Amino acid sequence: MPKVAMRVNGRAVSGEVEGRTLLVQFLREGLGMTGTHVGCDTSQCGACVVHVNGVPVKSCTAFALDLDGAEITTIEGMANADGSLGRVQQAFQDHHGLQCGFCTPGMVMSAAALLAENPTPSEAEIRTYLEGNICRCTGYHNIVKAVLAASGQDPATIAAE
Amino acid sequence: MPKDGIGAPMKRREDLRFLAGDGRYTDDINLHGQAYVWFLRSDVAHGRITRLDTAAAAAMPGVLRVITAEDFAHAGGMITAWQVTNRDGTPQAEPKHPILAEGKVRHIGEPIAGVVAETLEQARDAAEAIELEIEELPAVVDMAAALAPGAPKLHEDIDSNLCFDWGFVDDNKAKVDAAFESAHHVTTLELVNNRCVANAMEPRAAIGLYDRPMDHYTLYTTSQNPHVIRLVMGTFTLQIPEHKLRVVAPDVGGGFGSKIYNYNEECFVTHAAKLVGRPVKWTATRSEAFISDAQGRDHVTKIQLALDKDGMFLAFRTETMANLGAYLRLFATVTPTYLHGPAAGGPYRTPVAHVHVKGVFTNTVPVDAYRGAGRPEGSYQLERVVDKAAREMGIDQAEIRRRNFVKPEEFPYQTPMAVVYDSGNYHATLDKLLELSDYAGFAKRRAESEARGKLRGFGFSTWVEASGLAPSRLIGALGARAGLYESATVRVNPTGGISVLTGTHSHGQGHETVFAQIVADKLGIDAGLVDIVHGDSDKTPFGMGTYGSRSAAVGGSAIAKATDKIIAKAKKIAAHLLEASDADIEVADGKFTVAGTDKAVDWATICLTAYVPHNYPMETLEPGLEETAFYDPANFVYPAGAYGCEVEVDPDTGAVTVMRFVAADDFGVVLNPVVVAGQQHGGIAQGISQALLEHTVYDESGQLVSGSLMDYAILRAGDVPGFTVDHSCVTRCEHNPLGVKGCGEAGAIGAPPAVVNAVVDALQAGGYGIKDIDMPLTPSRVWAAMHEG
């Protein structure tokens, strides 16, 4: 089988993969990094979002073999150096932005990507950006609050109309 | 008071692992030597298996065994937990629900064989080499067609496709008919409660493990209730005694009812692990979930409301067909009957009512409880018909509700539906809704919308549910085959830390935080000293799991009761150490004090004394500090709320936009306001999603047309605004020790009628003569309804 090498959360990794092995399979099964989740088989749910060279990607849509040499960041790489929750993660806890936790890794990765592109997004921009991430538990309300808070804005501004 | 006691907005501690990517869901578990199964599933909805040859598949690379129904010859079918009695006194029909199809297939996705192989890819490839021939039979999808004479029959061993014909309360029928005779006005509405697929974000998964020397099985599974799975799968289906079977439900990524039931795949991997001598793992794809997870709702109902000249309700009656799909799962027959009827009268003083439901088998995926389970169907039909009656009689929507509410001073209130509402204040929640939604300012907002060319509507929903499942004696009399108490063990460790073992299961509800708050509050200690253990039948006492908004009301009460036992024993230890009477010991802030003195002993000393009993009243007290309680509720709990939804409809396209959603709920005592608000948000979102987007579509041959997330629409972040939720109107539950009612299902029950009533309001205000429209209110449906009339 062909071999692929990449950096995941700053660590050099490599492994043998089939041509059909998806990035998410390589992460979960090849590297045992189970923080990235698989919630669907049609690239709809976004539970598997990771960053590839700084860009959010649904890791169920990318072949591992195509990513030789890539820089990957997963949910496991979002904590601070001392192991405490990173800014976006902490905002999700502070504002109860998760319940069952299954969509959470993808949601955090998408939110972090949004804030990298747009440091102070409006509520509408947040909602639009997260269109590719389904959450079945929270009704998105507290996720939007968490992202507002992570961007340094007042989360209390979320409201009807 | 500890800072994280009852009512504190404590941050969830389980979030730390979920946010770090350290959650441990079933698919994250890999056992040494594990093999994989891929299921061959039926691609037709109804047919006879004429050939099933697995030889070629068995010879494929990596295949360990191809398993068919013959390998389960010793096993029983999967059971249903409730015996519903027909109106004529006969029992419901209960055809066998086999683990793998036995000669016949009855719905798309029914598993026929499982290929166990070294890798998933090998199993999947080999499944394609199974030689399967099915003689297709005519399918029935529509319920009326399924009940018609001469309809194709799903199950040969029963007379027709009718599972049950049930009336609640049948004694009321003549009285209801008489009330309709004398009514000033009768409003009639026919409606469909659309079928939903729960779509918890974590697809189901299961791993079976067999220890041959010990003849012991372990099942890791995505379950809301591991003990229930152990009992029903072990005892009734696979015939494994409980002490030989451990069921572990680790982190579970949402349930919403769909992970209550004992599923074919769980039975399969458990037995297959023994057959192949290896752990066997299965993880559903999302497409597989659509054809194998129990689906929800799917009622067709005619409801009639009789009113006097003042708009007072005299009686209502319903005629419902409930689609059960092809087989019965665990709560299939109780959901459209006893979870539907008792609270179908809502918050109103309607003197008599009669609910008539026929349960129907069709060639579709089995239907069972989905968030709210029977109660959303009840609230939807009632709130829609009340809305319509108000329009027909020219009465304000808030006023007709207020006029008919049970009054605060009338609790406990004996309903005509056999249950007693113990407490409530429906006027208070409605007033709170009107305040929070600025109902008075609606006319102005409508005018602003109209100025932008949009139609604006306000929809009400005031609802009550019977939840906190359930008083065992009552449900036993109604046909339940189980009790619905809950258990808790509070295990105090020698140095003062506490492990609480609960029979409930947390899959998003936050038990690890909220249950710790209960114990911390009662003992006056830091919640950080308390850990919650759940989800493993080898660790926790026998308990019934999590559904029906029962975890706080029943499971939390069991924890409170077990903690009370701990306190009683700790007081005796303290009395001994302080040379006082235990009746004089008071507990506060983690200190046990002789009342009226400064003589006290702290929690750490009590715990250490219990486990290092050098100075201990051995003759009257056992060492150790661990207590178990089983709590069986005296009644259901009756959460209630008043919801208001404001929508805009684009008259050019029929597109509906939710502009505002306000919920004023009474959940009794609130244990953690942040967690409760989260439950409100999530339930409301699921209700809006059902009302506007979700639709499970089968074609006439029984093919599932909406079989993936590309075809089945689920609410996304941009589809809704922020919600305004309130739970400040509190009437205590009168019969449980915490005074709690339950909040998990509220939004899914209350939201759908509010959304639909809002759209009807918008269209009628815009001059469109819409009377009836069914969910989901997609633009095409709304536009068509506008232009039909």
Side-chain angles (χ1 to χ4, degrees):
Chain A
M1 279 196 290
K3 199 171 169 188
V4 66
M6 56 183 84
R7 289 178 72 81
V8 178
N9 301 328
R11 186 168 61 96
V13 300
S14 62
E16 291 185 344
V17 294
E18 295 184 58
R20 62 181 167 179
T21 302
L22 302 168
L23 175 58
V24 68
Q25 290 175 305
F26 180 65
L27 292 170
R28 288 181 57 82
E29 294 156 29
L31 303 178
M33 297 175 68
T34 55
T36 302
H37 295 156
V38 180
C40 76
D41 46 9
T42 53
S43 298
Q44 298 289 304
C45 81
C48 68
V49 170
V50 300
H51 297 176
V52 176
N53 300 325
V55 176
V57 166
K58 289 182 175 172
S59 60
C60 72
T61 61
F63 291 118
L65 207 50
D66 287 342
L67 296 172
D68 196 60
E71 189 79 41
I72 311 290
T73 307
T74 71
I75 188 70
E76 289 96 337
M78 296 299 283
N80 296 323
D82 65 358
S84 61
L85 295 180
R87 178 175 59 128
V88 179
Q89 293 168 311
Q90 188 60 57
F92 271 68
Q93 190 198 19
D94 291 347
H95 296 279
H96 190 27
L98 65 152
Q99 292 181 24
C100 82
F102 197 80
C103 78
T104 306
M107 203 62 88
V108 168
M109 298 311 290
S110 286
L114 165 63
L115 297 180
E117 287 175 30
N118 178 357
T120 52
S122 67
E123 180 186 339
E125 286 170 334
I126 295 168
R127 290 184 181 277
T128 301
Y129 196 91
L130 295 178
E131 284 283 288
N133 293 78
I134 300 176
C135 171
R136 198 61 159 156
C137 294
T138 65
Y140 305 101
H141 184 98
N142 285 342
I143 290 174
V144 175
K145 275 177 77 171
V147 180
L148 283 168
S151 70
Q153 302 179 87
D154 180 3
T157 58
I158 180 175
E161 294 184 273
Chain B
M1 270 292 290
K3 75 176 169 56
D4 289 324
I6 288 172
M10 184 180 176
K11 286 183 198 172
R12 294 202 332 166
R13 40 172 58 166
E14 46 269 75
D15 290 357
L16 296 176
R17 68 174 184 278
F18 294 142
L19 283 162
D22 290 334
R24 189 167 181 259
Y25 301 87
T26 301
D27 188 54
D28 299 340
I29 296 169
N30 293 295
L31 302 179
H32 181 68
Q34 142 190 308
Y36 298 82
V37 58
W38 181 265
F39 288 101
L40 174 68
R41 296 178 182 275
S42 179
D43 59 3
V44 300
H46 198 194
R48 207 173 302 284
I49 298 170
T50 53
R51 182 155 180 263
L52 179 61
D53 186 340
T54 61
M60 294 277 285
V63 173
L64 300 172
R65 185 162 177 150
V66 183
I67 294 171
T68 65
E70 287 175 19
D71 294 296
F72 287 97
H74 69 293
M78 290 171 288
I79 65 158
T80 194
W82 205 288
Q83 165 73 66
V84 168
T85 301
N86 293 318
R87 298 175 68 202
D88 65 6
T90 58
Q92 68 189 14
E94 288 185 59
K96 184 180 180 185
H97 187 179
I99 298 163
L100 295 173
E102 295 176 349
K104 228 188 137 180
V105 290
R106 297 182 177 87
H107 69 84
I108 286 291
E110 181 167 4
I112 297 167
V115 180
V116 181
E118 296 287 350
T119 70
L120 182 60
E121 290 74 18
Q122 288 171 331
R124 191 171 186 161
D125 289 345
E128 292 186 8
I130 294 175
E131 294 176 26
L132 171 69
E133 288 173 15
I134 297 178
E135 176 200 339
E136 202 167 345
L137 298 169
V140 282
V141 175
D142 177 75
M143 286 188 278
L147 292 180
K153 214 168 68 163
L154 272 79
H155 299 281
E156 283 67 23
D157 53 342
I158 59 174
D159 292 338
S160 70
N161 294 318
L162 181 70
C163 174
F164 61 78
D165 178 342
W166 174 87
F168 192 70
V169 175
D170 246 12
D171 294 348
N172 288 349
K173 192 170 184 311
K175 284 181 267 184
V176 168
D177 291 343
F180 272 87
E181 291 288 316
S182 69
H184 169 77
H185 183 82
V186 173
T187 296
T188 301
L189 186 61
E190 294 184 32
L191 44 79
V192 175
N193 202 296
N194 45 326
R195 186 186 289 220
C196 297
V197 180
N199 275 303
M201 290 319 298
E202 179 205 23
R204 286 189 299 116
I207 311 171
L209 171 68
Y210 180 64
D211 178 341
R212 191 168 301 279
M214 296 298 289
D215 187 30
H216 185 278
Y217 301 80
T218 302
L219 170 66
Y220 295 87
T221 184
T222 49
S223 176
Q224 299 176 216
N225 33 242
H227 271 290
V228 171
I229 300 301
R230 188 179 71 158
L231 177 66
V232 301
M233 181 182 84
T235 306
F236 297 103
T237 305
L238 294 181
Q239 290 157 27
I240 302 168
E242 287 110 306
H243 65 295
K244 293 292 185 186
L245 173 60
R246 174 186 177 204
V247 178
V248 182
D251 286 331
V252 173
F256 314 113
S258 69
K259 291 173 180 169
I260 296 171
Y261 324 109
N262 172 216
Y263 280 100
N264 315 51
E265 298 86 357
E266 294 172 320
C267 303
F268 183 99
V269 298
T270 304
H271 185 54
K274 181 179 186 178
L275 293 180
V276 303
R278 302 261 295 270
V280 176
K281 182 174 186 174
W282 171 75
T283 304
T285 65
R286 179 60 56 187
S287 300
E288 236 178 340
F290 271 99
I291 53 174
S292 67
D293 290 4
Q295 303 180 346
R297 316 277 192 261
D298 205 350
H299 285 196
V300 175
T301 293
K302 177 181 178 183
I303 182 166
Q304 291 184 294
L305 180 66
L307 305 96
D308 73 10
K309 62 179 174 31
D310 299 320
M312 300 300 290
F313 306 159
L314 302 174
F316 75 88
R317 61 187 170 204
T318 67
E319 297 284 341
T320 292
M321 286 189 294
N323 201 334
L324 303 171
Y327 298 103
L328 301 179
R329 289 212 181 274
L330 212 50
F331 288 173
T333 61
V334 65
T335 295
T337 55
Y338 289 105
L339 292 179
H340 172 226
Y348 309 116
R349 304 165 75 248
T350 315
V352 284
H354 185 243
V355 174
H356 180 203
V357 183
K358 289 180 179 174
V360 186
F361 290 114
T362 62
N363 293 110
T364 60
V365 175
V367 177
D368 208 307
Y370 166 57
R371 198 171 193 167
R375 289 146 292 165
E377 295 90 324
S379 74
Y380 182 69
Q381 66 204 18
L382 186 63
E383 286 306 292
R384 292 272 329 264
V385 82
V386 166
D387 184 276
K388 188 178 178 191
R391 287 177 200 289
E392 288 174 351
M393 295 185 70
I395 304 172
D396 176 77
Q397 293 288 354
E399 175 56 25
I400 196 170
R401 288 172 167 81
R402 193 182 284 116
R403 222 177 264 181
N404 283 283
F405 279 160
V406 177
K407 296 189 175 81
E409 63 273 19
E410 290 176 324
F411 293 94
Y413 178 74
Q414 172 67 57
T415 75
M417 309 305 277
V419 293
V420 178
Y421 296 169
D422 63 331
S423 67
N425 187 340
Y426 309 139
H427 296 75
T429 44
L430 179 59
D431 289 345
K432 179 61 75 176
L433 167 68
L434 297 177
E435 172 201 329
L436 292 175
S437 63
D438 182 25
Y439 186 56
F442 173 69
K444 185 162 172 276
R445 294 192 295 276
R446 171 175 272 169
E448 287 166 2
S449 295
E450 284 170 355
R452 287 184 282 107
K454 299 288 169 59
L455 308 175
R456 194 171 185 114
F458 191 106
F460 283 90
S461 161
T462 50
W463 59 273
V464 178
E465 64 161 321
S467 66
L469 309 181
S472 295
R473 187 180 299 153
L474 172 60
I475 63 168
L478 300 178
R481 290 164 170 157
L484 279 172
Y485 46 81
E486 196 43 81
S487 65
T489 295
V490 175
R491 178 176 295 162
V492 179
N493 299 303
T495 59
I498 299 173
S499 303
V500 177
L501 289 65
T502 170
T504 63
H505 186 276
S506 188
H507 33 280
Q509 295 86 346
H511 296 176
E512 291 172 40
T513 303
V514 179
F515 285 170
Q517 292 179 252
I518 295 172
V519 177
D521 190 88
K522 292 187 86 76
L523 285 166
I525 58 173
D526 190 313
L529 285 172
V530 186
D531 263 6
I532 306 299
V533 178
H534 63 94
D536 185 339
S537 66
D538 266 11
K539 292 181 181 169
T540 66
F542 183 84
M544 300 305 289
T546 288
Y547 40 80
S549 299
R550 70 188 305 277
S551 294
V554 189
S557 293
I559 290 170
K561 197 174 161 191
T563 308
D564 285 341
K565 290 185 181 180
I566 291 285
I567 290 171
K569 185 169 179 181
K571 282 183 174 177
K572 289 180 181 168
I573 298 170
H576 172 76
L577 294 173
L578 298 168
E579 297 178 333
S581 161
D582 58 314
D584 294 335
I585 303 292
E586 291 175 346
V587 57
D589 298 328
K591 276 201 166 61
F592 290 72
T593 307
V594 181
T597 75
D598 59 358
K599 287 170 67 181
V601 58
D602 64 15
W603 174 242
T605 305
I606 299 267
C607 301
L608 197 63
T609 304
Y611 286 96
V612 187
H614 296 164
N615 174 15
Y616 200 81
M618 211 64 83
E619 54 289 346
T620 55
L621 212 53
E622 293 175 10
L625 197 50
E626 172 170 328
E627 298 288 349
T628 294
F630 283 74
Y631 174 80
D632 200 294
N635 190 355
F636 294 98
V637 293
Y638 301 95
Y643 289 4
C645 179
E646 252 176 81
V647 298
E648 271 189 0
V649 178
D650 183 335
D652 294 332
T653 63
V656 176
T657 304
V658 177
M659 306 300 288
R660 295 173 164 225
F661 199 103
V662 181
D665 285 312
D666 175 3
F667 296 135
V669 173
V670 168
L671 300 175
N672 180 322
V674 176
V675 167
V676 167
Q679 292 292 312
Q680 289 173 288
H681 295 149
I684 290 165
Q686 272 179 332
I688 294 173
S689 194
Q690 179 184 9
L692 295 182
L693 297 167
E694 297 186 36
H695 199 28
T696 310
V697 182
Y698 293 88
D699 72 12
E700 59 188 20
S701 72
Q703 288 290 341
L704 180 61
V705 177
S706 53
S708 82
L709 289 177
M710 299 186 77
D711 313 292
Y712 184 92
I714 288 179
L715 194 83
R716 291 172 191 261
D719 293 327
V720 277
F723 307 133
T724 301
V725 298
D726 178 88
H727 43 66
S728 66
C729 298
V730 172
T731 59
R732 284 183 68 94
C733 167
E734 294 290 344
H735 57 81
N736 68 42
L738 296 169
V740 298
K741 294 188 177 179
C743 60
E745 297 161 300
I749 294 169
V755 175
V756 177
N757 288 342
V759 173
V760 171
D761 186 54
L763 297 181
Q764 295 214 330
Y768 297 93
I770 308 297
K771 288 196 174 61
D772 299 334
I773 187 166
D774 283 318
M775 302 185 288
L777 303 186
T778 58
S780 65
R781 281 192 175 197
V782 173
W783 195 90
M786 290 165 71
H787 295 278
E788 268 167 11

